[in-house]
Amino acid sequence: MYPEQIDQFVDLLNKKQAGGVYVIEEELHMVNGVYEGFLEHDNVSYESISFFTGPKLTGSKIENFIISTPSETPWKRHIKVFSDADVVYATYETTGDQVEAEDINRLQDSMTATQEEVDRYKSENDQVVDEIDIRLTDVEDTKAEKTYVDTELNKKYDKDQVYTKEEVLQKIEDIIDAAPEALDTLGKIARALDEDPDFAATVTNSLAEKVDKVAGKGLSTEDFTTAEKGKLAGVEAGANKYTHPTTHPASIIVETSDKGFVSDVEKALWNAKETPSGAQSKADTAEQNAIEWAKSFGIGTVINNTVSDGNTLVESGLYRTEASTEGLPAEADSAGTILHIGRRSTATVTMGNQIYFPRNSIRIFVRTSNNILVTGGGWTSWKEFETTDGAQTKANTAETNAKSYADSIKPTKVSELSNDKNYVTQSELGNAGYGDMTKAVYDKNNNGKVDAAETADSVPWTGVTGKPSTFPPSGHPHTIGNITGLQAELDSKETPAGAQAKIDAIEIGSRNYFRRNLVSQIAFTSQGLVVTNNRNYVGYYMRVNEGEIYSISRKTLENNRFRVGFTEVEPAHNVPYFGEIDRDNFYKIESITVPAGANFLAVYLSNEGGSISEVMIEKGHKASDWTPAPEDMMPAGPITWNQLKGV
């Protein structure tokens, strides 16, 4: 299911004409030695079905299998195959598939999932486009101005204004010159001067404490000449007798954070830096590529690719339509938008789904095609998704119509009631002569009694006409002894206590264990219980436990077999059975006790095919009605179109 994976559909086969058939091979993956399920295609010939352990009728042929046909969907074939092989290959012939409402429901579910995926994908891409816009804005805000870059570049020294590495090393060698090894670095010189930062002042102060040198006098006697003293006085503070060598190693130069050597690698990296114009060109190209990438999804720009015929679209994408565009819903009276999703399944078949959005109304239409490449696109008719407002409008209309109908049939007078037979209508009274029942006419002697009634009181028995020839006797009592055999008959009846005990033994609330959707081709023969693909044989089996008690009933005798047997293993071709009970002319088989060694109960119902009478399997003493097995009934909760149809 989306978005983790794409829904997969089996390609349906068109019906073959003039007796033609398709030959199909399916690959079945066994689970614990069993495969159970429906064949992928419909209208399969029973006789053509075969199973092999290798493809294309190779390997070993498998004889142990069950084929059944659901009564509600007789075009389908349910199979159950038994084999130790990991993979089994089923080969069969079919005249083509039958499209069911369930196929449409699955397609609608897939289209709904596709729409959700499109919405999710659009949302993510909107976010990507927003992020690209932000990044482009950042690039625009942070890219260097050409004037600034030119100014900074002008601050650089030209190549002829700087020393090369070799030239710098030579200058250092010149400074070192022929200094002794003990003083050929600044560090060694510093250590030689006791690392005194004011060594000259220290020497000057020390010299000031010495006496002048006088001709003929030694240093110990302060024999400095005036000329010598003058020479010493002219020495700069911190001066020393040092001759810098002509050449010396670069290592004597101490690098700092402000000054240092530039290597060839560093110079090459600097020379390879992008120029402002080059950086701007690359930024512009990146911006345009991002815009074009977003546009390729129909996002971030106005849709200008107008389509003249929606039936001929092949490439997926968003397309603008006009009122004149072919292949739109009949309700499309103006421009709109089509989302087309195409998928090529073969070189000559391209399947597709389309969603149409009108411009001037909030409505959504969908349709699908099995092959866009055929004439007309093979499209189904457009189906409209109902909106909340539309559903409410229809509900309001239905309510109004119901009220109008109720008002139209509401009785307004007594004669319109269903029990008006108890009332006399005015038209009936009009012929009754009402209004002439006066006392002067019917009670002339004024004694309060109709004259004709007085005459009737004196009529003799012989003068009564229409009287019955015989009369029932009047009520009179009899004792039990006066009625022959009554006491013996009463003694044979169940006592209240006995009847109550039997009622108490009945367990209420059983279920029907017969599952019509699992009916198989089963028969009892002298070779054993036969499971075959001959649809004339009809039967059913279920798992049971030793000692359980069952009863089996049917409503009619239309099926010519009504037999029960047991097997140790699951019923399959030529599996032995035992404990057979034959009741072909009975409606019910009671008190069926599961014998030792039995794990399955099998019921043989017919060897003539045809429909099956209603069958009920009850367990124990629990009373059941003829309600189908819960697995055969419609589940609670939301229902599908197939359930309404009974498919």
Side-chain angles (χ1 to χ4, degrees):
M1 183 60 69
Y2 287 108
E4 288 77 14
Q5 62 184 14
I6 298 176
D7 290 342
Q8 300 294 325
F9 294 89
V10 175
D11 292 339
L12 300 182
L13 303 175
N14 292 327
K15 288 292 183 67
K16 284 281 189 179
Q17 303 299 324
V21 296
Y22 297 93
V23 178
I24 304 297
E25 182 178 78
E26 286 187 28
E27 184 177 296
L28 312 177
H29 293 271
M30 312 298 287
V31 178
N32 297 326
V34 179
Y35 175 86
E36 183 173 6
F38 286 97
L39 292 175
E40 289 184 348
H41 296 284
D42 305 330
N43 302 308
V44 175
S45 168
Y46 274 93
E47 293 75 11
S48 68
I49 301 175
S50 61
F51 301 93
F52 288 84
T53 58
K56 298 182 179 180
L57 306 179
T58 62
S60 301
K61 186 174 183 180
I62 298 174
E63 302 289 350
N64 199 0
F65 59 87
I66 300 172
I67 303 175
S68 60
T69 300
S71 58
E72 292 82 0
T73 53
W75 54 86
K76 287 188 173 295
R77 301 292 179 262
H78 184 276
I79 61 173
K80 192 167 186 179
V81 184
F82 306 88
S83 174
D84 294 332
D86 295 331
V87 178
V88 169
Y89 296 85
T91 303
Y92 55 85
E93 295 177 355
T94 172
T95 58
D97 288 309
Q98 184 159 337
V99 178
E100 308 174 54
E102 180 62 25
D103 296 328
I104 305 302
N105 290 339
R106 288 185 60 216
L107 179 59
Q108 290 176 342
D109 292 341
S110 180
M111 293 182 67
T112 300
T114 301
Q115 180 61 44
E116 293 174 354
E117 174 64 7
V118 168
D119 293 341
R120 182 194 67 79
Y121 188 71
K122 181 179 182 301
S123 175
E124 291 184 358
N125 278 275
D126 287 344
Q127 183 178 354
V128 171
V129 172
D130 291 340
E131 292 175 354
I132 291 174
D133 289 339
I134 293 173
R135 292 171 61 187
L136 290 176
T137 301
D138 292 340
V139 170
E140 290 291 340
D141 292 342
T142 58
K143 71 180 181 181
E145 295 291 340
K146 184 177 184 301
T147 302
Y148 169 77
V149 174
D150 290 343
T151 301
E152 292 299 315
L153 289 175
N154 287 333
K155 295 178 182 180
K156 291 176 55 181
Y157 287 104
D158 294 333
K159 187 173 182 180
D160 57 355
Q161 294 177 308
V162 296
Y163 288 114
T164 65
K165 179 179 179 182
E166 289 74 13
E167 291 172 336
V168 172
L169 293 176
Q170 184 58 48
K171 291 295 183 182
I172 295 173
E173 288 295 330
D174 293 343
I175 294 173
I176 296 175
D177 195 16
E181 183 178 356
L183 298 175
D184 60 359
T185 66
L186 296 177
K188 292 178 180 180
I189 294 172
R191 287 191 292 274
L193 299 177
D194 283 338
E195 298 184 359
D196 186 353
D198 199 8
F199 179 75
T202 302
V203 172
T204 300
N205 293 335
S206 298
L207 292 175
E209 298 177 357
K210 303 299 181 178
V211 298
D212 295 334
K213 183 177 181 182
V214 180
K217 296 182 178 180
L219 186 59
S220 59
T221 57
E222 300 180 357
D223 291 335
F224 278 99
T225 65
T226 301
E228 290 172 336
K229 290 176 61 179
K231 184 178 180 179
L232 288 174
V235 176
E236 288 290 335
N240 57 79
K241 186 179 180 180
Y242 171 74
T243 301
H244 194 77
T246 303
T247 60
H248 60 79
S251 59
I252 69 173
I253 298 177
V254 179
E255 295 185 88
T256 67
S257 59
D258 298 326
K259 298 179 181 180
F261 297 114
V262 177
S263 66
D264 291 339
V265 175
E266 291 172 327
K267 286 193 295 183
L269 291 175
W270 174 256
N271 292 332
K273 296 296 183 182
E274 185 61 83
T275 63
S277 60
Q280 182 61 50
S281 175
K282 290 182 178 179
D284 293 341
T285 300
E287 177 184 15
Q288 188 60 35
N289 290 341
I291 292 174
E292 293 302 323
W293 179 78
K295 287 181 179 179
S296 67
F297 295 95
I299 301 171
T301 183
V302 177
I303 303 172
N304 293 317
N305 49 340
T306 303
V307 64
S308 61
D309 189 349
N311 293 327
T312 60
L313 292 176
V314 176
E315 299 298 330
S316 299
L318 288 171
Y319 298 87
R320 189 174 67 182
T321 66
E322 302 293 347
S324 61
T325 299
E326 296 293 334
L328 299 183
E331 296 84 354
D333 56 357
S334 63
T337 302
I338 285 182
L339 170 61
H340 177 80
I341 304 172
R343 179 173 68 84
R344 181 175 297 278
S345 57
T346 67
T348 59
V349 177
T350 297
M351 307 175 72
N353 299 319
Q354 288 185 352
I355 304 176
Y356 174 72
F357 308 91
R359 184 180 65 182
N360 296 328
S361 60
I362 304 177
R363 305 171 72 179
I364 301 176
F365 299 83
V366 297
R367 67 174 180 172
T368 184
S369 171
N370 288 330
N371 190 358
I372 303 171
L373 302 181
V374 301
T375 302
W379 292 101
T380 63
S381 59
W382 287 98
K383 301 296 183 181
E384 182 178 4
F385 283 130
E386 185 63 87
T387 63
T388 304
D389 293 340
Q392 185 61 53
T393 300
K394 291 181 179 179
N396 294 340
T397 301
E399 180 182 10
T400 301
N401 293 340
K403 289 181 178 179
S404 298
Y405 176 73
D407 291 339
S408 68
I409 64 173
K410 182 172 62 178
T412 59
K413 53 187 176 180
V414 172
S415 62
E416 294 176 346
L417 297 175
S418 61
N419 62 345
D420 59 358
K421 64 183 179 179
N422 297 323
Y423 297 87
V424 179
T425 64
Q426 184 173 353
S427 61
E428 291 172 336
L429 288 175
N431 297 325
Y434 61 90
D436 59 352
M437 192 69 178
T438 59
K439 186 177 179 66
V441 175
Y442 294 99
D443 186 15
K444 295 179 179 180
N445 58 6
N446 198 25
N447 65 351
K449 191 172 185 180
V450 176
D451 296 338
E454 288 182 303
T455 303
D457 288 342
S458 59
V459 173
W461 176 253
T462 57
V464 178
T465 61
K467 59 182 181 289
S469 58
T470 61
F471 297 88
S474 60
H476 57 281
H478 285 284
T479 63
I480 294 177
N482 297 137
I483 302 174
T484 304
L486 177 58
Q487 185 63 55
E489 187 68 18
L490 291 175
D491 292 339
S492 67
K493 300 299 181 182
E494 184 64 81
T495 64
Q500 185 62 49
K502 291 182 178 180
I503 292 174
D504 292 340
I506 297 176
E507 296 180 57
I508 305 299
S510 182
R511 54 156 288 177
N512 188 354
Y513 286 84
F514 178 80
R515 296 179 58 181
R516 184 172 291 271
N517 64 340
L518 294 183
V519 169
S520 304
Q521 281 70 51
I522 292 179
F524 296 164
T525 68
S526 58
Q527 288 78 30
L529 185 147
V530 175
V531 177
T532 178
N533 59 3
N534 188 333
R535 58 183 131 187
N536 289 328
Y537 294 102
V538 182
Y540 172 77
Y541 68 89
M542 57 182 283
R543 181 175 287 276
V544 295
N545 296 310
E546 178 181 346
E548 292 179 338
I549 299 176
Y550 292 87
S551 62
I552 304 177
S553 308
R554 58 178 175 174
K555 276 195 172 182
T556 69
L557 299 178
E558 64 180 299
N559 304 116
N560 67 333
R561 292 290 183 268
F562 196 44
R563 303 176 183 181
V564 176
F566 300 90
T567 65
E568 181 179 5
V569 298
E570 185 171 5
H573 193 65
N574 289 342
V575 168
Y577 71 97
F578 54 92
E580 181 178 358
I581 303 174
D582 295 347
R583 297 291 187 272
D584 292 344
N585 297 318
F586 284 65
Y587 285 90
K588 187 172 185 178
I589 307 175
E590 296 183 288
S591 300
I592 304 171
T593 302
V594 179
N599 294 312
F600 292 89
L601 179 149
V603 184
Y604 180 22
L605 296 173
S606 175
N607 65 358
E608 297 177 346
S611 61
I612 304 172
S613 169
E614 287 191 62
V615 177
M616 179 171 62
I617 300 178
E618 299 169 278
K619 181 179 180 180
H621 299 289
K622 293 185 177 180
S624 304
D625 55 20
W626 287 92
T627 301
E631 294 83 356
D632 290 343
M633 299 176 66
M634 185 181 298
I639 59 177
T640 65
W641 171 247
N642 282 347
Q643 291 170 335
L644 289 175
K645 286 180 59 181
V647 176

